[in-house]
């Protein structure tokens, strides 16, 4: 089936996700923690199981038929990721454990080889810890420094400050495509163009973007793009790094082991071409196969249709939650993905999370691994509801009703 | 539906009226300039932070207070703790720390009358919230032993 679906029919897709039929705490599950991880459609679960039932063998090594078959499936999955990101070549796609490992690969592969004391890496205040800490580690080793683009009260990047931070010392700009704590969709394409004009490379953390926005790495012009399978209706422990061919070819390996070498002698070894150079050891073959199935699934639904559905739910949830007393939203950018981050006066986000959970409503409570954002707004954390293509109006209604219950329990239903 | 679908805990067991009362009006909630023992507690997972102050005279906790911010469970636990330990011999407080920790994480020791602290026992059925309730107690323990910042992540 290749017909793009109308948003109204997307909610029926919930039937494709078996876990959504599971009652939680005796209630219908309203799963609104999709920014942490999404659920998996039957087809993804089946693809991974079928790999072990019918196709399991190690890859790139065997002389036997099954090994060649498994290799074909794995390399076929790589080509699906290439198509999904519109990369020019499959060898520009490196399989990793996920976004975090992909960013670490660039930090320790490219960064350690290229950064010198005085060089600068530009990050933003809304980065996830996985796009901060690897750079801190590599800066400690190389003497490079981190510069930070601040955000506005609405949760948008201060682009004027961004431009002022760029200069001859800037070697890399690393930015989230979509903020996991605020939902802001950043204008990455013009930011990348400005980075390049300053002579810097650009890495995009696409963890929160790929399930919600069409991504075209060539149109964006980015040098690196990182994402995870598990936020894309695919398995955990698999993700990918897109890297421009000439950059990957010039990068040294960052992990040593089997399959990443051309020759090994105790006097020294030579490296395989990318992507094999960066995939030491037996990879998550079944995960790659499951990721390909998830990409196929999402492609059939259509990213535009999924995004339109999620946008409608976000608008509805925003409207409804603002009718409640004591609500403060964090992240009110004009261009926003399906994330509703908020606090409720008089109720700590963790208490709210527990009470919502008792109603079967799964949200995230805390700093969402984006502590600088919380510091920026002077709060310890927020409650975060995040939407996926299988959510519907019932989930929004359950969220609102559960917040009302919490306010009643805490005696804050009349709070200002 | 299996039992596990229901979850273990009853919300009303966790959020008893005493908890709300101590969350709204935490007791002994102030700094203590003449404290002779103090420690900070931090749960990096949720951002909860508190400081516990002690003044110890003749082996007894002459005064105790705390400041900080956290969820209802951690605030109420800290408030109830200050009431429970004030005036008690340090040795007795250390024994209480061990018993409360056991009550919150595993099973209450037999024969111990926890008094008001009993309201915290509902936390045991909510594993995700145990660290909220134990933070103040670990911080108290560190203040007594000079062990530095307590972390419950």
């Amino acid at each position: 089936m290749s017909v793009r679906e109308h948003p109204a029919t997307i909610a029926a897709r919930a039937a494709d996700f078996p876990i959504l039929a599971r009652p939680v705490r005796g209630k219908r599950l309203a799963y609104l923690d999709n920014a942490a991880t999404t659920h998996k459609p039957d087809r993804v679960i089946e693809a991974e199981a079928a790999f072990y039932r019918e196709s399991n063998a190690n890859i790139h090594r065997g002389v036997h038929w099954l090994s060649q078959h498994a290799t074909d499936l794995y390399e076929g999955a790589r080509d699906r990721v290439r198509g999904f990101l519109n990369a020019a070549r499959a060898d520009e796609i490196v399989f990793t454990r996920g976004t975090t490992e992909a960013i670490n690969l660039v930090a320790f592969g490219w960064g350690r080889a290229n950064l010198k004391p005085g060089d600068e890496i530009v990050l933003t205040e809304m980065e996830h810890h996985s796009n901060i800490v690897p750079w801190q580690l590599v800066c400690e080793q190389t003497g490079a420094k981190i510069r930070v683009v601040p955000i506005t009260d609405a949760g948008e990047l201060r682009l004027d400050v961004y431009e002022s931070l760029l200069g001859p010392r800037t070697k890399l700009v690393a930015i989230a495509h979509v903020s996991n704590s605020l939902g802001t969709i950043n204008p990455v394409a013009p930011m990348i163009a400005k980075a390049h004009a300053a002579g810097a490379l650009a890495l995009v953390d696409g963890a929160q973007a790929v399930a919600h926005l069409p991504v075209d790495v060539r149109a964006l012009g980015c040098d690196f793009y990182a994402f995870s399978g598990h936020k894309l209706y695919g398995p955990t422990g698999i993700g990918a790094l897109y890297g421009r061919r000439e950059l990957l070819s010039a990068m040294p390996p960052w992990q040593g082991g089997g399959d990443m070498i051309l020759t090994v002698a105790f006097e020294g070894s030579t490296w395989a071409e990318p992507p094999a150079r960066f995939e030491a050891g037996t990879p998550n073959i079944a995960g790659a196969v499951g990721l390909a199935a998830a990409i196929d699934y999402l492609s059939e639904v259509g990213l535009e249709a999924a995004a339109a559905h999620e946008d409608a739910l976000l608008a509805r949830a925003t409207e409804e939650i603002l009718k409640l007393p004591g609500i403060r939203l964090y992240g009110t950018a004009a261009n926003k993905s399906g994330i509703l981050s908020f606090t409720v006066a008089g109720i700590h986000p963790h208490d709210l999370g527990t009470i919502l959970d008792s109603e079967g409503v799964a949200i995230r409570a805390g700093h969402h691994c984006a502590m600088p954002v919380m510091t920026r707004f002077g709060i310890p954390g927020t409650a975060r509801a995040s939407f996926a293509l299988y959510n519907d109006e019932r989930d929004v209604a359950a969220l609102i009703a559960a917040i009302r219950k919490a306010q009643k329990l805490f005696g804050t239903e009349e709070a200002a | 539906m299996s039992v596990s679908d229901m979850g273990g805990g009853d919300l009303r067991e966790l959020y008893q009226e005493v908890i709300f009362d101590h969350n709204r009006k935490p007791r002994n909630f102030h700094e203590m300039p003449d404290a002779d023992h103090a420690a900070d507690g931090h749960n990096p997972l949720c951002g909860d932070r508190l400081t516990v102050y002690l003044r110890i005279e003749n082996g007894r906790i002459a005064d105790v207070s705390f400041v900080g911010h956290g969820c209802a469970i951690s605030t109420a636990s800290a408030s109830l703790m200050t009431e429970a330990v004030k005036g008690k011999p340090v040795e007795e407080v250390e024994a209480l720390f061990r018993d409360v920790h056991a009550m919150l994480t595993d099973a209450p020791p037999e024969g111990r009358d926890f008094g008001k602290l009993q309201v915290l026992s509902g936390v045991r059925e909510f594993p995700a919230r145990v660290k909220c309730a134990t933070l103040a107690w670990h911080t108290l323990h560190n203040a007594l032993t000079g062990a530095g910042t307590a972390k419950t992540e």
Side-chain angles (χ1 to χ4, degrees), chain A residues 159-402:
Chain A
L159 295 173
D160 54 331
V161 179
Y162 171 63
E163 288 182 38
S164 73
L165 290 177
L166 295 174
R169 292 183 163 185
T170 315
K171 290 295 179 288
L172 179 87
V173 171
I175 29 173
H177 199 164
V178 172
S179 157
N180 77 312
S181 55
L182 302 168
T184 313
I185 302 173
N186 288 317
V188 288
M191 291 178 75
I192 292 163
K194 290 196 169 77
H196 286 166
L201 298 178
L203 174 146
V204 179
D205 168 358
Q208 296 295 337
V210 284
H212 311 285
L213 307 171
V215 171
D216 180 333
V217 291
R218 279 186 283 175
L220 290 176
C222 57
D223 300 287
F224 299 104
Y225 196 97
F227 79 94
S228 301
H230 74 99
K231 296 186 202 285
L232 181 71
Y233 312 105
T236 58
I238 186 78
L241 173 73
Y242 157 80
R244 279 200 297 114
R245 167 81 193 168
E246 55 268 41
L247 291 168
L248 293 181
S249 294
M251 275 163 57
W254 76 304
Q255 291 177 346
D259 216 28
M260 47 72 71
I261 42 79
L262 279 181
T263 61
V264 171
F266 284 106
E267 296 73 32
S269 302
T270 56
W271 317 129
E273 286 297 301
R277 186 184 299 170
F278 305 108
E279 293 180 5
T282 299
N284 184 357
I285 309 165
V289 170
L291 174 58
I295 288 172
D296 290 349
Y297 178 84
L298 190 54
S299 302
E300 281 176 19
V301 173
L303 267 165
E304 296 89 348
H309 174 74
E310 291 158 12
D311 288 348
L313 283 179
L314 177 65
R316 171 85 180 171
T318 304
E319 185 189 330
E320 289 297 317
I321 203 171
L322 287 173
K323 291 178 186 166
L324 301 176
I327 300 293
R328 176 147 183 216
L329 299 184
Y330 293 87
T332 51
N335 198 13
K336 209 181 143 181
S337 184
I339 283 171
L340 187 66
S341 209
F342 59 96
T343 54
V344 181
I347 310 179
H348 189 282
H350 266 206
D351 293 313
L352 194 64
T354 297
I355 297 162
L356 266 54
D357 177 53
S358 75
E359 295 294 303
V361 179
I363 60 152
R364 184 71 167 265
H367 53 62
H368 320 303
C369 295
M371 289 178 86
V373 172
M374 304 302 137
T375 304
R376 160 69 175 76
F377 289 107
I379 49 176
T382 69
R384 180 187 71 184
S386 50
F387 299 97
L389 62 86
Y390 44 67
N391 290 123
D392 62 22
E393 298 273 335
R394 288 177 300 174
D395 299 324
V396 174
L399 170 70
I400 301 298

